[in-house]
Amino acid sequence: MVSFLLSMLALVLGYFFYGRFIERVFAPDDRPTPAMTKADGVDFVVLPNWKVFMIQFLNIAGTGPIFGAIMGAKFGPASYLWIVFGCIFAGAVHDYLSGMLSLRHGGVGLPELIGRYLGKRTHQFMLVFSVLMLVMVGVVFVYSPAEILSLFGGGTLTWVILIFIYYVIATLMPVDKIIGRIYPLFAVSLLFMALALMVTLLLMWPSIPELWDGLGNRALTVVPESSPIFPALFITIACGAISGFHATQSPLMGRCMKSERLGRPIFYGAMITEGMVALVWATVSSYFFYGNPSPGYELMEAAHESGFFTSAPKVVYIVCNEWLGIAGGILALLGVVAAPITSGDTAFRSCRLIIADYLHLSQKTMRSRLLVSVPLFLVSIALLMWQIENPDGFNVIWQYFGWSNQTLSVFTLWMITVYLALERKPFAVTLVPALFMTMVCTSFLLVSPQAFHLPLWLGYTITGVILLIAVALFLRWYGRVASGRVSSPNGRAE
């Protein structure tokens, strides 16, 4: 528990000190924001500051800081370090700078930004990559909450249809009509659940592994065939540390902010808050799996049979009901069901806006929104039908999403690094995370059983070679920048 408290303190200090440093690097000013210059009453709408924060938090969170932290905690105390350092130096920086760049460039989506700084070919690739990933998010977050809701009555297919209808409505309606009204309530419930669990942990003060007990892969002691801690931990815990999905969501709120100076509390602050939620659930899970003298699940009869293999949703449900009673059960339902639903509808909304940006198609009228959304929903329905018909469909889609999500963060970090280098700003703040995440995603693709499944020594060797090539190419490019042979696209960013 001491490691938990130290980690919480580190996140708070990270926001106030490193967050302020990153803010000075970008240098926000008082220029009019896209919410003012492009106001359309649909996507560009000024919202109250507290609503923008709550919506941003829920957009990027979903079930990520819960499920990811639960699964990541099986690796042991190393999960604390990844959440803390990943959140402060990678995830929050990634979210803040990608959100502020979108704000500074008229509220455009991530593919447009990547195209501006990494070239047209990369833009086209990222357009397809982002759309596919967002569709996967939307489809996954239709079926998984539908399965849970079916336990309380009604068939899975009925809930799938109802949730999808909600997605259609939320995607097409102005941002302040549905998202602006119900998201803050869901965000409050998610935060309250985390706070209640934190208080319970402090009162119980369970004996759990601390950082100084060792950072090795504890899952190996229970499941010998567990994945190696590198890179599996860094793919498993994405939301709560760093997640490329966030960069597709930040422009949604960038179009609703009335001042650039709100960027640090909204973008950097929401990510730090998500890291805190992840820390709570990592600690709960550490007790659940490694509590001393007995794991927490042995004290919870409902989970006794499955123990270490208990799924993340079951952990949420059991812990909340055992610790928080009836109110906890309600909050667990909100966290496990409402959170993925809200992530799913903003995924479709972001996808609509990304496609519209590429087509230069205004989204002010319902007709133009339908023109983009109808083909999008038809593709999603086809993928959803495939998932329903295939028993392992959810797992297949989720595995591809996990890797593609972190790969998207790699492209985003490299894009921001290029921007900072061109603007003569300290680019090391994103170069180091970009190189690290490049290693994570490359090694996962090489050694993962879901991909090439190479021997670890070979996969790590190839990863090291690719890292050296990436460093060499960047240094070569930066040499041209320093000599004045490369300039910022269209002059300095405005």
Side-chain angles (χ1 to χ4, degrees), residues 452-473:
F452 292 103
H453 202 191
L454 297 178
L456 287 181
W457 69 269
L458 180 58
Y460 289 163
T461 300
I462 296 174
T463 297
V465 171
I466 291 175
L467 177 66
L468 292 175
I469 293 173
V471 171
L473 290 175

Side-chain angles (χ1 to χ4, degrees), residues 416-466:
I416 300 171
T417 302
V418 169
Y419 160 77
L420 293 174
L422 292 172
E423 296 295 309
R424 304 299 195 271
K425 296 176 183 289
F427 56 83
V429 297
T430 51
L431 175 61
V432 174
L435 291 171
F436 180 77
M437 292 308 297
T438 298
M439 287 195 299
V440 167
C441 293
T442 302
S443 58
F444 186 81
L445 187 64
L446 294 172
V447 306
S448 171
Q450 291 81 29
F452 292 103
H453 202 191
L454 297 178
L456 287 181
W457 69 269
L458 180 58
Y460 289 163
T461 300
I462 296 174
T463 297
V465 171
I466 291 175

Side-chain angles (χ1 to χ4, degrees), residues 16 25 40 74 90 113 162 257 356 365 385 411 449 458 467 480:
F16 285 106
V25 168
D40 62 3
K74 293 182 179 181
L113 287 174
L162 291 175
M257 292 166 53
T365 66
M385 291 176 63
F411 280 93
L458 180 58
L467 177 66
R480 296 172 59 201

